[in-house]
Amino acid sequence: MKIRMHYKQITIVLALLLTSCNTTSNKLADNEFHIKVEIKDLVDGTKIVLKKQENNSTISLDSTTSSDHKFEFKGILESPTMLGIFIDSIKGGLFPLVENGEISITAQKDSLYAPTITGSELNDELQKFKDGSQKIVSKINDLFIQIQKARSENDLQKINEINRKMRAINDENTRYSLDYAKNNPNSFVSSIVLQSLLRIQEIDLNEIRNIHANFSNEVKKSEYSKNILSFLESNEVSEKDSVK
């Protein structure tokens, strides 16, 4: 098990320190998480790795092997964090939003993208947001069929019309995400949502800045909020340099 230390702060420590100090109690500490996972038909002895995105790179935090289709991880978090669980020989992964306390995950080997996560209010909230976003984005599905037909008929006018509709749907989804982050300043999910919008080239950074400024102090402590702030500060420097 590897523990990655950083100067000034420890972002995440995955170690069974509490267990070693108090082997008589299975009760979790206030800042400890426990992820329990069951994958149907998972072969015993399969290797599983817990990873985290950090500074534009992925680091391995812990690893284990399955037994009776199950495995688990314990550790300590400073704030809720999206972690990745990758299973040997299975495509994709599980990406729960991990918070302190116990989280249970069940999934199928061929559909890790659709797990059932219980015991976590944050994951319930994140799923609710995703459902709302998917409802908007799903409108594009019918347009794909239409644009394929228009291309086969070389109907440029129709293609342009459908492209405009697709852009409008994407804009609607962006608006949905911005409004969600704006209207839920006390939610860690909002910081995840807002960070995801930074990849949109046309995004209004002033609006991002204002939404971030209204986040609660607890949400501002999340690594996602810190990433947003770092991005905004870097952009300000770039703008100043371009003016010179």
Side-chain angles (χ1 to χ4, degrees), residues 35 37 39 42 46-53 57-66 71 73 82-96 105 109 112:
I35 308 172
V37 186
I39 309 292
L42 184 63
T46 300
K47 183 179 179 180
I48 302 100
V49 181
L50 185 67
K51 296 185 178 183
K52 177 178 180 288
Q53 191 76 22
S57 63
T58 302
I59 61 172
S60 295
L61 301 172
D62 198 2
S63 64
T64 188
T65 55
S66 61
F71 58 90
F73 290 104
M82 190 85 72
L83 299 181
I85 299 173
F86 299 93
I87 304 168
D88 240 10
S89 304
I90 299 180
K91 186 177 180 180
L94 298 165
F95 301 93
I105 303 174
K109 288 172 61 177
L112 294 184

Side-chain angles (χ1 to χ4, degrees), residues 4-12 54-55 78 226:
R4 186 182 179 91
M5 297 288 191
H6 293 276
Y7 184 68
K8 295 183 179 179
Q9 70 174 43
I10 302 174
T11 304
I12 182 173
E54 187 172 286
N55 298 326
E78 289 187 350
K226 292 176 183 178

Side-chain angles (χ1 to χ4, degrees), residues 123-150:
N123 279 281
D124 292 343
E125 182 184 346
L126 180 59
Q127 188 58 52
K128 186 176 180 180
F129 165 79
K130 288 180 177 180
D131 290 343
S133 178
Q134 181 58 35
K135 187 175 181 180
I136 296 171
V137 174
S138 63
K139 299 176 187 177
I140 292 179
N141 294 338
D142 291 338
L143 294 178
F144 278 127
I145 298 174
Q146 294 178 32
I147 201 168
Q148 287 175 349
K149 184 174 183 295

Side-chain angles (χ1 to χ4, degrees), residues 3-209:
I3 302 177
R4 186 182 179 91
M5 297 288 191
H6 293 276
Y7 184 68
K8 295 183 179 179
Q9 70 174 43
I10 302 174
T11 304
I12 182 173
V13 180
L14 282 172
L16 304 182
L17 298 177
L18 293 170
T19 302
S20 62
C21 293
N22 185 8
T23 57
T24 62
S25 175
N26 291 323
K27 185 177 179 181
L28 295 177
D30 291 340
N31 63 343
E32 190 177 19
F33 69 82
H34 183 193
I35 308 172
K36 297 187 290 185
V37 186
E38 181 173 1
I39 309 292
K40 186 177 179 181
D41 298 328
L42 184 63
V43 177
D44 285 1
T46 300
K47 183 179 179 180
I48 302 100
V49 181
L50 185 67
K51 296 185 178 183
K52 177 178 180 288
Q53 191 76 22
E54 187 172 286
N55 298 326
N56 297 318
S57 63
T58 302
I59 61 172
S60 295
L61 301 172
D62 198 2
S63 64
T64 188
T65 55
S66 61
S67 176
D68 194 25
H69 322 301
K70 302 173 184 177
F71 58 90
E72 60 185 64
F73 290 104
K74 280 187 178 181
I76 297 172
L77 285 174
E78 289 187 350
S79 65
T81 304
M82 190 85 72
L83 299 181
I85 299 173
F86 299 93
I87 304 168
D88 240 10
S89 304
I90 299 180
K91 186 177 180 180
L94 298 165
F95 301 93
L97 176 53
V98 180
E99 56 185 318
N100 298 326
E102 291 203 0
I103 300 176
S104 296
I105 303 174
T106 57
Q108 304 287 333
K109 288 172 61 177
D110 58 352
S111 55
L112 294 184
Y113 58 85
T116 298
I117 302 177
T118 57
S120 168
E121 292 184 2
L122 277 182
N123 279 281
D124 292 343
E125 182 184 346
L126 180 59
Q127 188 58 52
K128 186 176 180 180
F129 165 79
K130 288 180 177 180
D131 290 343
S133 178
Q134 181 58 35
K135 187 175 181 180
I136 296 171
V137 174
S138 63
K139 299 176 187 177
I140 292 179
N141 294 338
D142 291 338
L143 294 178
F144 278 127
I145 298 174
Q146 294 178 32
I147 201 168
Q148 287 175 349
K149 184 174 183 295
R151 285 171 177 166
S152 67
E153 296 172 351
N154 200 27
D155 189 339
L156 185 59
Q157 182 177 349
K158 188 67 174 177
I159 291 173
N160 290 335
E161 177 187 343
I162 296 172
N163 280 331
R164 282 194 294 272
K165 290 181 179 179
M166 287 183 171
R167 285 194 294 271
I169 293 170
N170 284 327
D171 290 344
E172 181 185 356
N173 191 48
T174 298
R175 186 71 261 163
Y176 166 77
S177 300
L178 286 166
D179 287 345
Y180 186 94
K182 179 180 179 180
N183 296 329
N184 297 277
N186 300 318
S187 171
F188 283 97
V189 172
S190 292
S191 64
I192 296 174
V193 171
L194 199 63
Q195 179 183 295
S196 71
L197 295 174
L198 299 180
R199 68 179 186 274
I200 302 176
Q201 190 172 0
E202 301 82 8
I203 199 73
D204 185 347
L205 292 184
N206 284 327
E207 184 168 12
I208 295 287
R209 187 176 290 106

